[in-house]
Amino acid sequence: MNNFSATYTDQYQLAMAQVYFNKGHREHRAVFDYFFRKLPYKGGFAVFAGLEDLLSIIQDIRFSKADLDYLQKQGFKGEFLDYLEDFRFRGTIHSVSEGDVVFPTRPVLQVEANIIEAQIIETILLNLLNFQTLVATKASRMRQVAGEAHLLDFGLRRAQATGGFYATRAAMIGGFNGTSNVIAGRELDIPVSGTMAHSFIQSYDDELTAFRDFAEDRPENCVLLVDTYDTLKSGVPNAIKIAKEMEERGHKLLAIRLDSGDLSYFAKESRKQLDAAGLEYVKIAASNQLDEYVIKSLLEQQAPIDVFGVGTNLVTGDPDGALDGVYKLAWSNGQPRIKISESIVKITLPHKKQVFRVKDENGKCIGADAIGLDSEEMVEEMFHPHEPYKSLKIGQFQQEGLLRKVMENGKMLIEKRSLEEIADYSKSRLAELPLEYKRFNNPHIYKVGISSRLQEEREKLIQSHKNSAS
Amino acid sequence: MNNFSATYTDQYQLAMAQVYFNKGHREHRAVFDYFFRKLPYKGGFAVFAGLEDLLSIIQDIRFSKADLDYLQKQGFKGEFLDYLEDFRFRGTIHSVSEGDVVFPTRPVLQVEANIIEAQIIETILLNLLNFQTLVATKASRMRQVAGEAHLLDFGLRRAQATGGFYATRAAMIGGFNGTSNVIAGRELDIPVSGTMAHSFIQSYDDELTAFRDFAEDRPENCVLLVDTYDTLKSGVPNAIKIAKEMEERGHKLLAIRLDSGDLSYFAKESRKQLDAAGLEYVKIAASNQLDEYVIKSLLEQQAPIDVFGVGTNLVTGDPDGALDGVYKLAWSNGQPRIKISESIVKITLPHKKQVFRVKDENGKCIGADAIGLDSEEMVEEMFHPHEPYKSLKIGQFQQEGLLRKVMENGKMLIEKRSLEEIADYSKSRLAELPLEYKRFNNPHIYKVGISSRLQEEREKLIQSHKNSAS
């Protein structure tokens, strides 16, 4: 969709890179963790998305001639610019699979590379993963309450410019069925659908003629918008007339669409009129400021809605706007690294790590992920990250290592999957998660703990920083 | 920045376009209004942004061969595809100047074109104007409270993919001074700045050496991040040592940056330490979840902060996520058009229109915009759009027509301005607006009214729809 130049980054990445280069640190190996601290929407889980885009982009990321000229004008200089001219990302990445459910504070993805390469990809990594994970999570919440109803992304007009493209992709991973966004449909090979705007009907002198022209031109794919003038007195009766005319020509009206008013009431009344006319097969689509709460409420009221079109609240991740994903150094130049903070919850985890999902004998999550050192094969007992007296013995359970190698020497190791495959995988992972973690109100808190060895390593580093500071 | 193909659109635009084409409406002239219904942030104004991007994009918008192949597979066919192959936007656009203050319900921009062209550009128009206006408005609220302090956009990592580029542009229009986004700096010719991440310091065995390496490599442009370990006991004292070393080499430390903790307290204590060391010239930069309210509060507490770096809340427009801008048909095929709604505030305004800003003898806004027919030269008395007994005589005031022709026959008529020029213009327009409209809490409501002729025309159309429905 876009050409992501390597200058699609924050300037400080390049400033730091030049210092590393000039001070002889360019070959220092570093490990960075990508993780977030807070679940969006006060929910109990997030759906990880954006991985394949990220890997394809960084596999090809380069500085162009124009980039280098610009950087020179910005004061970057000498051999460092030559280095950037040949820049490739040659690192290794371990990651959770795209579509999996993920939880706060534990590494979702781990980058291992020389420190310059690891730093230069930070911004694009955060940008892609934060946004897609936010939207996929929002979408999956809607899928969770929508049952078998179709969910369509209508958000392009409210997205951040070309960001709409990635919103559509993430929505599909979260369980949406299609989009109105034509270019996303084409590039991502997903169903595109569209009906008509109110302006179409207004541009005619009467609604019936507008409907008729539309139906004649799109006999296979006709959805009529019924709320331009008066939904129940004009829109639905006119749609019924057209549906009958279509039947005479051997076609079927696909659906009507409601876009205003009390959607539950209008859906029920429209359904009655359609059924009374023998048009049980005509579906009802609804749109207008929908989100997971409105969809849930509509279906609880038994509103006979078959298709929901969701725009703003999907593509902006409203009310959260952003996932707070960060990228923190865990290792460099042969040493584990830590960020001390006045707030204990913000102290980072040193070392290269593995994350284990704990499961019972039926393969169902018990609600815990344990973080160990990458040399550990499993975790016997996991400790609360900040309250060391809280611990949980997990040696008796199955443990699944979640971080898998997805890139090595800058080459993607995983096969690209279709969005449908990623969405199916996501669905299966969500199914392993007990319902308590999926409810909207005060969901059960998924436990994330650290192994005793990681705990010891962290404690040693904290003490050594205390000693050197005093 | 991006190649916006004409398929960067909602499918229904093309579905409607094909019907118009096949049913002989392709030459019908149409007028669409772009406007929004609700001010973001419960504020008293919005800053209009995105116009130049929009005009350059639609001036060049085309369907590529790949687009047409895809559309054919999607069921579009025959002569309509030939038409799309030669598609150009050849319409006329009247608009408010970019950077002006704008208010709900009145046209901000008006598109006049054949109905197919007008429809095909709808999605990209909404996408660009909604987002940039949202962010420019957010930025201008921060500028309003930041006084002379520098405001820097740090939002790329939390933006919607490439949407970050447009966020940066809009932030500059709203009064920001620079960005961390390198590619935006290059393409928009704006100042780019960057410091260092915590990881830079963590990657060294000690903070002082990290600072020293950075200062040696960037003597002209050195900002040190002081909160990695202990701001007041380690970060600031080490920064002071480095500043002294820099002085010996004839250089000056530019600033220190605070990124956590109580920013007011740490800024004051840091300032004391810097001043006591004779480093009055070293500035203090702050970042971490800032927005207009936090900046206002920090400055009210007299926190000595010279530079604010703002990320998430700027580029996501938090807490609003989106501007609710819409695109409504006002005229087609020789007839004024209206959308009737059960909610009176959603009834649209027919006809091609002009908007007049009402000003007193000193050129200061009196707080009213009047909407008239485009044939009116001024408005004598403006009426509340939904409460016809409320009116305001404005014939005695100066009236400035706000909608100017910016595109004709698909060619941009206005000269491109630099972002600085647009920002200066915005500043001057904001200065004309009394303070009551700019306060954050319950701002005074700017009046938007319609002329008696527009009122009559609208009433006629409502009556004729009532008659045809009954």
Side-chain angles (χ1 to χ4, degrees):
Chain A
M1 173 67 192
N2 293 287
N3 301 317
F4 281 93
S5 139
T7 49
Y8 202 81
T9 192
D10 291 306
Q11 202 207 30
Y12 78 172
Q13 315 288 8
L14 301 172
M16 293 187 279
Q18 180 169 288
V19 183
Y20 290 137
F21 184 87
N22 288 333
K23 296 291 179 180
H25 298 201
R26 58 183 280 194
E27 294 305 338
H28 288 191
R29 289 299 278 183
V31 174
F32 282 83
D33 294 334
Y34 169 69
F35 64 96
F36 57 89
R37 295 202 176 95
K38 212 173 123 252
L39 284 164
Y41 320 122
K42 298 180 182 164
F45 66 90
V47 172
F48 176 52
L51 180 65
E52 280 191 15
D53 284 331
L54 174 69
L55 298 177
S56 351
I57 287 168
I58 64 180
Q59 184 167 259
D60 293 329
I61 213 159
R62 300 290 183 269
F63 290 88
S64 68
K65 181 78 175 62
D67 290 333
L68 297 168
D69 289 347
Y70 176 71
L71 292 176
Q72 188 163 28
K73 279 187 215 135
Q74 292 288 303
F76 293 94
K77 50 186 179 262
E79 287 179 32
F80 177 63
L81 287 175
D82 299 338
Y83 169 83
L84 292 185
E85 196 174 342
D86 294 328
F87 178 86
R88 302 281 184 277
F89 180 80
R90 295 191 181 84
T92 294
I93 295 180
H94 287 78
S95 176
V96 163
S97 297
E98 186 157 11
D100 201 357
V101 289
V102 289
F103 303 93
T105 75
R106 40 142 285 204
V108 173
L109 178 147
Q110 213 165 252
V111 173
E112 194 182 353
N114 84 43
I115 196 160
I116 297 183
E117 294 172 19
Q119 204 70 71
I120 282 176
I121 65 163
E122 175 183 3
T123 304
I124 190 75
L125 180 151
L126 291 173
N127 175 294
L128 286 166
L129 301 184
N130 282 340
F131 178 56
Q132 288 199 41
T133 301
L134 181 80
V135 175
T137 305
K138 187 76 174 177
S140 81
R141 289 163 62 84
M142 297 191 216
R143 170 45 63 209
Q144 187 184 320
V145 294
E148 294 302 306
H150 250 56
L151 293 173
L152 300 177
D153 154 40
F154 283 179
L156 183 54
R157 59 189 56 198
R158 300 288 166 77
Q160 294 188 7
T162 43
F165 178 83
Y166 296 95
T168 300
R169 182 180 186 278
M172 296 300 290
I173 291 174
F176 267 52
N177 301 90
T179 183
S180 66
N181 181 339
V182 179
I183 205 160
R186 182 180 101 196
E187 303 222 347
L188 301 172
D189 192 21
I190 54 179
V192 181
S193 52
T195 57
M196 58 173 61
H198 294 112
S199 62
F200 181 79
I201 295 150
Q202 289 169 261
S203 81
Y204 282 78
D205 293 334
D206 70 292
E207 191 179 49
L208 189 65
T209 310
F211 283 2
R212 186 174 289 130
D213 273 9
F214 199 83
E216 283 175 8
D217 196 68
R218 297 178 69 77
E220 309 293 345
N221 189 6
C222 183
V223 180
L224 300 173
L225 177 64
V226 293
D227 69 339
T228 304
Y229 301 117
D230 187 315
T231 303
L232 300 177
K233 289 190 188 148
S234 163
V236 179
N238 281 334
I240 290 171
K241 276 182 211 154
I242 297 300
K244 292 294 175 188
E245 293 179 11
M246 291 176 78
E247 283 184 350
E248 284 166 26
R249 295 190 300 272
H251 294 126
K252 282 187 170 177
L253 175 63
L254 217 58
I256 60 166
R257 177 160 77 101
L258 304 166
D259 188 44
S260 60
D262 189 296
L263 295 174
S264 177
Y265 170 75
F266 283 113
K268 287 178 187 174
E269 294 301 315
S270 302
R271 187 75 269 160
K272 279 187 213 161
Q273 291 191 23
L274 290 166
D275 291 354
L279 297 169
E280 289 85 357
Y281 62 84
V282 175
K283 293 194 189 313
I284 296 179
S287 50
N288 194 22
Q289 300 299 326
L290 300 179
D291 65 13
E292 63 269 48
Y293 297 98
V294 178
I295 293 171
K296 183 167 188 279
S297 164
L298 285 168
L299 293 175
E300 282 168 358
Q301 295 165 71
Q302 305 184 308
I305 297 172
D306 309 286
V307 180
F308 295 94
V310 189
T312 313
N313 295 311
L314 173 70
V315 300
T316 66
D318 199 65
D320 271 348
L323 183 77
D324 70 349
V326 293
Y327 186 75
K328 294 291 175 189
L329 185 70
W331 177 271
S332 79
N333 194 24
Q335 301 288 334
R337 306 285 173 175
I338 193 168
K339 169 156 173 12
I340 309 290
S341 172
E342 293 176 59
S343 159
I344 188 166
V345 300
K346 285 197 165 184
I347 296 180
T348 61
L349 296 171
H351 284 283
K352 205 173 147 184
K353 298 173 286 289
Q354 178 54 284
V355 180
F356 300 94
R357 178 148 300 163
V358 187
K359 295 181 165 187
D360 66 18
E361 63 276 20
N362 303 315
K364 193 102 177 165
C365 300
I366 70 153
D369 281 2
I371 314 168
L373 299 173
D374 83 318
S375 55
E376 296 184 86
E377 303 249 316
M378 67 167 305
V379 174
E380 274 299 326
E381 184 172 8
M382 70 176 215
F383 293 82
H384 190 286
H386 328 300
E387 299 175 36
Y389 298 109
K390 283 192 188 166
S391 73
L392 188 68
K393 289 215 172 4
I394 52 174
Q396 72 277 31
F397 291 110
Q398 294 179 40
Q399 299 186 9
E400 178 195 355
L402 299 179
L403 298 177
R404 299 193 184 88
K405 200 185 280 182
V406 294
M407 177 170 266
E408 189 161 40
N409 284 322
K411 291 274 165 282
M412 224 168 133
L413 296 180
I414 49 170
E415 290 287 314
K416 282 215 175 197
R417 292 181 292 173
S418 69
L419 284 174
E420 210 176 331
E421 286 171 298
I422 301 176
D424 282 347
Y425 173 73
S426 189
K427 195 174 160 186
S428 72
R429 296 297 271 183
L430 266 165
E432 293 170 8
L433 193 67
L435 287 174
E436 292 82 344
Y437 301 93
K438 290 185 265 193
R439 68 173 178 244
F440 290 169
N441 290 324
N442 295 315
H444 200 42
I445 294 169
Y446 195 94
K447 290 185 180 58
V448 173
I450 60 180
S451 72
S452 59
R453 286 187 53 206
L454 179 54
Q455 195 185 39
E456 284 157 25
E457 287 290 321
R458 191 176 64 159
E459 195 50 37
K460 264 198 276 180
L461 279 174
I462 294 173
Q463 287 309 326
S464 97
H465 276 289
K466 273 198 187 155
N467 297 340
S468 73
S470 60
Chain B
M1 173 69 193
N2 292 289
N3 301 318
F4 281 92
S5 137
T7 49
Y8 202 81
T9 192
D10 291 306
Q11 202 207 29
Y12 77 174
Q13 314 288 9
L14 301 173
M16 292 187 278
Q18 179 169 290
V19 183
Y20 289 137
F21 183 87
N22 289 333
K23 295 293 177 180
H25 297 201
R26 58 184 280 194
E27 295 305 336
H28 287 190
R29 290 299 277 181
V31 174
F32 282 84
D33 294 333
Y34 169 69
F35 63 95
F36 57 89
R37 294 203 176 96
K38 211 171 126 255
L39 283 165
Y41 320 121
K42 297 180 184 163
F45 65 91
V47 172
F48 175 54
L51 179 65
E52 280 190 14
D53 285 333
L54 173 69
L55 297 178
S56 350
I57 288 168
I58 62 179
Q59 185 167 257
D60 293 330
I61 212 158
R62 301 287 184 270
F63 290 88
S64 69
K65 180 77 175 62
D67 290 332
L68 296 169
D69 289 348
Y70 177 71
L71 292 177
Q72 188 163 29
K73 279 187 215 135
Q74 291 289 304
F76 292 93
K77 52 188 178 259
E79 286 179 32
F80 178 63
L81 288 174
D82 300 338
Y83 168 84
L84 292 185
E85 195 175 344
D86 294 326
F87 178 85
R88 304 280 184 276
F89 180 79
R90 294 190 181 86
T92 295
I93 295 181
H94 286 78
S95 175
V96 162
S97 297
E98 188 159 10
D100 202 356
V101 289
V102 289
F103 302 93
T105 73
R106 39 143 283 204
V108 172
L109 179 147
Q110 214 165 252
V111 173
E112 194 182 352
N114 83 43
I115 196 159
I116 297 182
E117 294 173 19
Q119 204 72 68
I120 282 177
I121 65 163
E122 174 183 4
T123 304
I124 190 74
L125 180 151
L126 291 174
N127 175 296
L128 287 167
L129 301 184
N130 282 340
F131 178 56
Q132 288 200 42
T133 300
L134 182 79
V135 175
T137 304
K138 188 75 173 178
S140 79
R141 288 164 63 85
M142 298 193 216
R143 171 45 64 209
Q144 187 184 319
V145 294
E148 293 302 306
H150 249 55
L151 293 173
L152 299 179
D153 154 40
F154 284 179
L156 183 55
R157 62 189 55 199
R158 301 286 166 78
Q160 292 188 9
T162 43
F165 178 84
Y166 296 96
T168 301
R169 182 178 186 277
M172 296 299 290
I173 292 175
F176 268 51
N177 302 92
T179 182
S180 66
N181 182 339
V182 180
I183 205 160
R186 183 180 100 198
E187 303 223 346
L188 301 172
D189 191 21
I190 54 179
V192 180
S193 52
T195 59
M196 56 173 61
H198 295 110
S199 62
F200 181 80
I201 294 151
Q202 290 168 262
S203 81
Y204 282 80
D205 293 334
D206 69 290
E207 190 180 50
L208 189 65
T209 311
F211 282 1
R212 187 174 288 128
D213 273 9
F214 198 84
E216 284 174 10
D217 196 69
R218 299 176 68 77
E220 310 293 345
N221 189 7
C222 182
V223 179
L224 300 172
L225 178 63
V226 294
D227 69 338
T228 304
Y229 300 119
D230 187 313
T231 303
L232 299 176
K233 288 189 188 148
S234 165
V236 179
N238 282 333
I240 289 172
K241 277 182 208 150
I242 297 301
K244 293 294 177 187
E245 294 177 12
M246 291 176 79
E247 283 184 349
E248 284 167 24
R249 295 191 300 273
H251 293 128
K252 283 187 168 175
L253 175 63
L254 215 59
I256 60 166
R257 177 159 77 101
L258 304 166
D259 188 44
S260 60
D262 189 297
L263 295 174
S264 177
Y265 171 76
F266 283 113
K268 286 177 187 174
E269 294 301 316
S270 302
R271 187 76 268 162
K272 278 186 210 157
Q273 291 191 24
L274 290 167
D275 290 354
L279 297 168
E280 290 84 358
Y281 63 82
V282 175
K283 294 194 187 314
I284 297 179
S287 50
N288 194 22
Q289 301 298 325
L290 301 179
D291 65 12
E292 65 268 47
Y293 296 99
V294 178
I295 294 172
K296 183 168 188 278
S297 163
L298 286 169
L299 293 176
E300 282 168 358
Q301 295 165 71
Q302 303 184 310
I305 298 172
D306 309 286
V307 181
F308 295 94
V310 189
T312 313
N313 295 310
L314 173 70
V315 300
T316 66
D318 198 65
D320 271 347
L323 183 77
D324 70 350
V326 293
Y327 187 73
K328 295 291 175 189
L329 185 69
W331 177 271
S332 80
N333 195 24
Q335 300 289 333
R337 306 286 172 173
I338 194 168
K339 171 159 172 10
I340 307 291
S341 172
E342 293 177 59
S343 158
I344 188 167
V345 299
K346 285 197 163 183
I347 296 180
T348 60
L349 296 172
H351 283 282
K352 204 172 151 187
K353 298 173 285 290
Q354 177 56 284
V355 181
F356 300 94
R357 179 147 299 162
V358 186
K359 294 181 164 187
D360 66 17
E361 63 276 18
N362 304 314
K364 194 100 177 168
C365 299
I366 71 152
D369 282 0
I371 313 167
L373 299 174
D374 84 318
S375 55
E376 296 185 85
E377 303 248 313
M378 67 167 304
V379 174
E380 274 299 326
E381 183 172 8
M382 69 178 218
F383 293 82
H384 189 287
H386 327 301
E387 298 173 38
Y389 298 109
K390 282 193 189 168
S391 73
L392 188 67
K393 287 215 172 7
I394 52 172
Q396 72 277 33
F397 291 110
Q398 292 179 41
Q399 298 188 8
E400 178 194 356
L402 299 177
L403 299 176
R404 298 192 185 90
K405 200 184 282 181
V406 294
M407 177 170 266
E408 189 162 38
N409 284 322
K411 291 274 165 281
M412 223 168 132
L413 297 180
I414 50 170
E415 289 288 313
K416 281 216 176 199
R417 292 180 295 172
S418 69
L419 284 174
E420 211 178 331
E421 287 170 297
I422 301 175
D424 283 346
Y425 173 73
S426 190
K427 196 174 161 186
S428 72
R429 296 297 273 184
L430 266 165
E432 294 169 7
L433 194 66
L435 288 173
E436 292 82 342
Y437 301 93
K438 290 185 263 192
R439 67 173 180 245
F440 290 169
N441 290 325
N442 295 314
H444 200 43
I445 294 169
Y446 195 94
K447 291 186 179 58
V448 173
I450 59 178
S451 72
S452 58
R453 285 187 53 204
L454 180 52
Q455 195 186 38
E456 284 158 24
E457 287 291 321
R458 191 174 66 159
E459 195 49 37
K460 264 197 276 181
L461 280 173
I462 294 173
Q463 287 310 327
S464 96
H465 277 290
K466 273 198 187 153
N467 297 342
S468 72
S470 61

